């Protein structure tokens, strides 16, 4: 008997669906169930319950079960890794074990012989067991234990040919177990939607953290991984074509991967620390990115205003915010919205993060003199309509951007300022004449990213007035639907999945131009913008919290209060 026959007989699948699922069958006894679930034919839990009933095994939902982790120390790890079974609890002298293969109970006999206990098997999903293994034994733990008898086909394909120097360290980094371990770390990061992987050498050994939705999340790692530290670092250096013998100087590299048909760029930064080398891998997943202004989280009036601004024939549009606040995504989305055959768009970036179809992109190379400023001068001789300058860092770049706008070009760029109003003072501080800044900058948009509450586990609540900050819009509290985070398997216990932007759009009105020309303070410019209808980052954040898209804690985490201005309203 096999799973397909059971599901057809019990009415969960028809014969045609079972045939399709067999054609897409995955690994293991329940591969057909996985295939049928992915095809949308049935729910995994109901299928496992039915199969379990037929073979006499009770179904267990590991996501809702408290697992006794003390059992792991005395349970044979080779059975966990090779047979995908996991000890759950002791019950009246018996050991309850989760298995994902109801048709092979030989591993249960092995577990009984090894532990000396009567073992009761229960049926669980293979992916749920794998999540438990990664969570409690660490990413790549089966590789560290040396349990792989043969190398499976790599899940990650390195698109560039790698080169080795034949040294002992190089050979160690090319061992099958090390390759598999590094691939496990990368695959887990990609599956977790991580933007960065931090691999750090500490006095206690190697630590791995993933930056997920802007927050660093430590990853459990088996203690034995510390012995492979040098090999892991060397393997990553080889993959990104860096010098594995150089351990005293910082190095930067990149690698191209193909994962499940998707191309992924990884930028690698290596810096020597006192306990060894620290690596940060920036993951640029082209397949997961959506460059569409309408989906970034802008309020309807902000989106409408931005859509009008990016159609201007000339002028400068600035996006400000700290590193990692989504400025590049906003700019790319703006360019894609105006990208037409009759519009020539050229960008100069450091680095080019994503390649955009129909847009001409230049990679800055400061070492050979191809700076933002130098490339911008060349761009203006290339007959563009729209120019994007990755960042205005100095006076020369600012002067060239202003010159470009004065000669009939629309210029997009970024600045590092805390709010929109600060952009005018920042450019003036670079040495640009205030009248030039005032006459060319059409709008400045500051932005931040806040995490979206997980739709599966967010909980509605009524906040007490005393628990909210003084600048919260209390007049809208009666219409608010407020939620807070809790955590569930869908969000990996974090309470949040994905991010959205909060925005502060300062359009350069005549009043703002006059203030900028008069070298007015950022505070006065901000106040003038608010009198003209500008929402601050904080105000825009409160709208998202009131609507239940994010939490009050998130707004407090990423924005500064507008209390001094709020009291003047």
């Amino acid at each position: 008997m096999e799973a397909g026959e059971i599901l057809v007989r019990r009415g969960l699948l028809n014969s045609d669906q079972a045939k399709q699922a067999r054609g897409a069958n995955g690994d293991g006894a329940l591969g057909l169930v996985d295939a049928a679930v992915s095809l949308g034919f049935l729910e995994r839990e109901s299928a496992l319950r039915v199969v379990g009933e037929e073979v006499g095994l009770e179904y267990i939902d590991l996501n809702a079960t408290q697992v006794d982790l003390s059992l792991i120390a005395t349970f044979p790890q080779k059975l966990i890794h090779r047979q995908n079974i996991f000890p759950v609890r002791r019950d009246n002298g018996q050991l309850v074990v989760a298995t994902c293969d109801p048709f092979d109970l030989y591993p249960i006999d092995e577990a009984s012989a090894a532990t000396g206990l009567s073992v009761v098997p229960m049926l669980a999903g293979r992916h749920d067991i794998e999540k438990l293994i990664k969570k409690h034994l660490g990413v790549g733990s089966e590789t560290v234990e040396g349990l792989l008898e043969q190398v499976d086909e790599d899940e990650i394909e390195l698109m560039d040919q790698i080169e080795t120097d034949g040294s002992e360290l190089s050979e160690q980094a090319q061992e099958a177990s090390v390759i598999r371990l590094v691939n496990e770390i990368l695959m887990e990061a990609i599956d977790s939607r991580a933007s960065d992987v931090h691999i750090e050498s500490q006095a206690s050994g190697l630590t791995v953290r993933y930056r997920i939705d802007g927050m660093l999340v430590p990853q459990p790692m088996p203690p034995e991984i510390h012995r492979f530290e040098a090999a892991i670092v060397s393997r990553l250096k080889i993959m990104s074509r860096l010098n594995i013998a150089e351990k005293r100087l910082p190095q930067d590299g990149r690698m191209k991967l193909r994962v499940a048909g998707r191309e992924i760029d990884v930028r690698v930064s290596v810096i020597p620390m006192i306990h060894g080398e620290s690596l940060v891998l920036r993951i640029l997943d082209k397949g997961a990115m959506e460059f569409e202004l309408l989906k970034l989280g802008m309020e309807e009036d902000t989106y409408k205003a931005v859509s009008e601004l990016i159609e201007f024939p000339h002028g400068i549009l600035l996006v400000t915010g700290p590193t990692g606040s989504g400025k590049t995504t906003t700019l790319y989305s703006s360019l894609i919205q105006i990208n037409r055959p009759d519009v020539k768009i050229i960008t100069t970036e450091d680095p080019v993060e994503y390649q955009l179809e129909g847009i001409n992109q230049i990679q800055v190379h400061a070492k050979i003199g191809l700076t933002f400023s130098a490339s911008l001068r060349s761009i203006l001789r290339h007959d563009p309509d729209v120019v994007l300058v990755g960042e205005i860092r100095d006076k020369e770049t600012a002067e060239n951007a202003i010159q470009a706008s004065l000669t009939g070009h629309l210029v997009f760029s970024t600045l590092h300022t805390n709010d929109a109003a600060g952009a005018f003072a920042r450019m003036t501080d670079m040495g640009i004449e205030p009248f030039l800044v005032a006459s060319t900058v059409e709008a400045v948009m500051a932005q931040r990213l806040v995490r979206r509450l997980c739709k599966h586990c967010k909980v509605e609540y009524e906040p007490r007035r005393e628990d909210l900050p003084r600048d919260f819009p209390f007049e809208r509290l009666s219409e608010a639907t407020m939620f807070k985070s809790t955590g569930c398997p869908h969000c990996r216990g974090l309470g949040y999945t994905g991010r959205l932007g909060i925005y502060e759009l300062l359009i350069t009105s005549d009043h703002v131009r006059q203030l900028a020309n008069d070298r007015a303070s950022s505070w006065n410019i901000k106040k003038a913008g608010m009198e003209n209808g500008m929402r601050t980052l904080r105000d825009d954040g409160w709208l998202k919290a009131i609507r239940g898209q994010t939490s009050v804690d998130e707004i407090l985490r990423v924005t500064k209060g507008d209390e001094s201005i709020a009291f003047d309203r």
Side-chain angles (χ1 to χ4, degrees):
M1 186 185 298
E2 55 104 24
E5 295 175 16
I6 294 172
L7 295 173
V8 170
R9 181 156 46 80
R10 295 288 293 268
L12 271 72
L13 290 179
N14 60 42
S15 56
D16 288 340
Q17 290 173 332
K19 186 176 181 180
Q20 284 187 56
R22 285 191 186 96
N25 201 352
D27 298 328
L30 292 182
L32 181 137
V33 173
D34 293 335
V37 170
S38 66
L39 290 168
F41 294 156
L42 46 72
E43 292 289 328
R44 188 184 307 278
E45 182 175 335
S46 58
L48 291 176
R49 285 186 186 278
V50 165
V51 172
E53 286 173 12
E54 288 285 326
V55 298
L57 293 185
E58 187 180 341
Y59 171 76
I60 183 171
D61 182 358
L62 293 177
N63 294 317
T65 302
Q66 187 71 35
V67 176
D68 184 356
L69 298 178
S70 65
L71 297 172
I72 297 175
T74 56
F75 196 84
Q77 291 206 3
K78 66 178 182 179
L79 291 178
I80 295 176
H81 294 305
R82 285 178 180 167
Q83 307 294 350
N84 259 25
I85 65 176
F86 203 92
V88 177
R89 61 176 180 268
R90 286 191 67 165
D91 198 355
N92 295 326
Q94 295 180 314
L95 180 63
V96 177
V97 169
T99 178
C100 61
D101 190 343
F103 305 109
D104 181 13
L105 298 182
Y106 177 72
I108 304 303
D109 295 335
E110 279 194 83
S112 180
T115 59
L117 297 170
S118 173
V119 176
V120 178
M122 297 184 77
L123 184 59
R126 177 166 55 90
H127 298 296
D128 292 337
I129 293 177
E130 288 174 351
K131 277 198 293 187
L132 271 182
I133 294 172
K134 285 181 178 177
K135 182 176 181 181
H136 299 298
L137 294 177
V139 176
S141 51
E142 73 278 18
T143 307
V144 174
E145 290 291 321
L147 298 173
L148 290 176
E149 295 177 346
Q150 60 183 25
V151 185
D152 297 332
E153 185 179 336
D154 288 343
E155 294 168 300
I156 291 182
E157 178 188 349
L158 190 62
M159 294 176 69
D160 295 327
Q161 189 68 35
I162 62 175
E163 299 175 3
T164 60
D165 58 9
S167 65
E168 183 180 347
L169 191 57
S170 172
E171 293 303 315
Q172 185 184 0
Q174 294 301 99
E175 290 180 4
S177 57
V178 175
I179 292 173
R180 180 63 182 265
L181 178 53
V182 169
N183 284 0
E184 282 279 330
I185 293 171
L186 290 171
M187 279 297 299
E188 182 68 11
I190 293 165
D191 289 344
S192 304
R193 301 176 297 100
S195 60
D196 301 86
V197 180
H198 293 242
I199 301 173
E200 299 160 325
S201 299
Q202 306 286 351
S204 57
L206 199 68
T207 64
V208 177
R209 294 186 287 175
Y210 296 157
R211 189 175 293 282
I212 302 172
D213 293 331
M215 302 291 286
L216 277 174
V217 181
Q219 296 302 302
M221 287 286 156
E224 295 85 355
I225 199 173
H226 308 317
R227 290 187 290 136
F228 295 87
E229 181 178 334
I232 291 169
V233 172
S234 296
R235 170 64 184 168
L236 287 166
K237 281 185 172 182
I238 289 169
M239 291 172 74
S240 45
R241 307 176 74 85
L242 298 177
N243 181 0
I244 66 170
E246 180 56 75
K247 300 177 185 292
R248 302 164 300 167
L249 295 173
Q251 297 186 72
D252 293 312
R254 65 191 309 160
M255 63 180 89
K256 283 188 176 182
L257 308 175
R258 183 178 282 113
V259 179
R262 301 202 316 264
E263 283 191 19
I264 294 174
D265 281 343
V266 181
R267 294 209 311 266
V268 182
S269 171
V270 184
I271 298 180
M273 303 288 183
I274 58 173
H275 295 297
E277 291 176 287
S278 173
L279 288 84
V280 174
L281 285 64
R282 166 63 59 87
I283 298 172
L284 304 172
D285 187 351
K286 301 173 184 177
M289 289 302 296
E290 273 191 298
F291 296 116
E292 192 171 337
L293 271 179
L294 199 56
K295 295 183 179 179
L296 300 184
M298 292 181 189
E299 297 299 312
E300 189 175 341
D301 56 345
T302 303
Y303 169 71
K304 185 178 178 182
V306 171
S307 296
E308 291 174 1
L309 287 165
I310 62 178
E311 295 285 353
F312 276 21
H314 54 79
I316 298 177
L317 303 178
L318 296 173
V319 180
T320 76
T323 302
S325 60
K327 300 188 298 294
T328 300
T329 302
T330 299
L331 288 171
Y332 278 3
S333 301
S334 301
L335 292 181
I336 286 173
Q337 184 158 315
I338 61 173
N339 185 22
R340 302 183 297 269
D342 61 323
V343 177
K344 175 144 186 174
I345 303 172
I346 306 180
T347 76
T348 174
E349 306 168 62
D350 183 22
V352 173
E353 293 196 357
Y354 297 96
Q355 296 173 23
L356 307 177
E357 185 68 29
I359 293 175
N360 304 279
Q361 296 170 274
I362 298 172
Q363 169 72 56
V364 165
H365 288 290
K367 290 181 180 177
I368 60 172
L370 187 59
T371 59
F372 280 126
S373 180
S375 59
L376 183 51
R377 285 196 303 270
S378 299
I379 286 171
L380 296 183
R381 295 193 291 270
H382 219 67
D383 190 29
D385 298 297
V386 177
V387 177
L388 182 147
V389 183
E391 184 185 345
I392 294 178
R393 296 176 179 171
D394 51 41
K395 180 182 179 182
E396 190 178 3
T397 307
E399 285 176 340
N400 288 336
I402 285 173
Q403 187 61 38
S405 71
L406 291 172
T407 53
H409 302 88
L410 182 61
V411 180
F412 294 84
S413 193
T414 68
L415 272 179
H416 285 291
T417 60
N418 289 326
D419 58 11
F424 295 95
R426 177 81 181 93
M427 290 188 72
T428 304
D429 290 343
M430 287 181 185
I432 306 300
E433 290 293 337
F435 77 91
L436 287 173
V437 177
S439 61
T440 55
V441 175
E442 298 294 341
V444 184
M445 185 162 70
Q447 70 175 77
R448 300 289 188 277
L449 292 176
V450 294
R451 294 180 292 170
R452 289 182 189 269
L453 283 165
C454 174
K455 63 182 180 182
H456 298 283
C457 66
K458 65 181 181 179
V459 176
E460 188 174 347
Y461 78 112
E462 289 188 19
R464 298 182 303 172
R465 291 179 71 93
E466 57 268 28
D467 292 336
L468 296 170
R470 289 185 295 171
D471 63 331
F472 185 87
F474 292 102
E475 68 277 5
R476 303 191 61 172
L477 197 54
S478 60
E479 65 186 76
T481 307
M482 308 282 281
F483 291 85
K484 59 183 177 181
S485 64
T486 54
C488 69
H490 293 280
C491 60
R492 297 173 180 255
L494 299 175
Y496 301 90
T497 51
R499 290 186 287 179
L500 73 159
I502 57 174
Y503 301 91
E504 176 179 294
L505 179 61
L506 175 59
I507 296 175
T508 315
S509 63
D510 289 342
H511 187 195
V512 170
R513 289 191 200 280
Q514 187 60 54
L515 289 171
N517 186 64
D518 296 341
R519 295 179 182 264
S521 68
S522 297
W523 189 87
N524 280 323
I525 293 176
K526 183 172 187 174
K527 194 171 181 181
M530 292 173 68
E531 289 169 356
N532 199 36
M534 180 187 83
R535 263 194 311 274
T536 65
L537 285 167
R538 186 85 151 189
D539 287 339
D540 201 48
W542 291 141
L543 290 180
K544 268 73 171 179
I546 286 169
R547 207 176 290 127
Q549 293 173 289
T550 189
S551 65
V552 171
D553 290 340
E554 272 297 282
I555 305 306
L556 295 175
R557 181 178 70 86
V558 302
T559 64
K560 181 181 171 185
D562 301 314
E563 295 167 355
S564 59
I565 295 179
F567 295 143
D568 289 342
R569 292 177 187 172

